[in-house]
Amino acid sequence: MSGKALSVPGRHKLKEELNDNDPELGSANSTMYRALVARGNYLSQDRTDIKFAVKELWRSMAKPTNSDW
C-alpha cells in the first residue's frame, strides 16, 4: 500500500512536555475550565479561526490538569 503523507496544522508534544505527574485541577477549577472550553466551542461555530485551538482544549475535558489550564 502506498500513499502520500498529509500535512496538518498542529504539533506533537515533545517528550519533555508529556508529564504524567501533572496534578489534576481541583473541583472548582475543573468546572471553570470546562465552562470556558464549552463557551469556546460555541464561539467556534462562527469563528473558524479558533476551531483548531478549541479542539485541542477539548482533548482534556475529562481530566484537566494544571498544564491544560
Side-chain angles (χ1 to χ4, degrees), residues 8-58:
V8 295
R11 66 180 183 87
H12 294 283
K13 287 188 176 183
L14 300 174
K15 192 173 189 177
E16 299 85 35
E17 294 175 330
L18 296 173
N19 186 0
D20 294 334
N21 298 330
D22 197 15
E24 291 184 25
L25 291 176
S27 177
N29 286 339
S30 291
T31 302
M32 185 181 296
Y33 178 85
R34 291 181 183 110
L36 292 172
V37 174
R39 188 167 294 169
N41 188 43
Y42 176 77
L43 292 173
S44 71
Q45 294 175 16
D46 296 325
R47 299 274 315 272
T48 56
D49 56 326
I50 64 171
K51 279 189 177 188
F52 179 77
V54 173
K55 178 193 67 97
E56 292 299 311
L57 293 172
W58 267 97

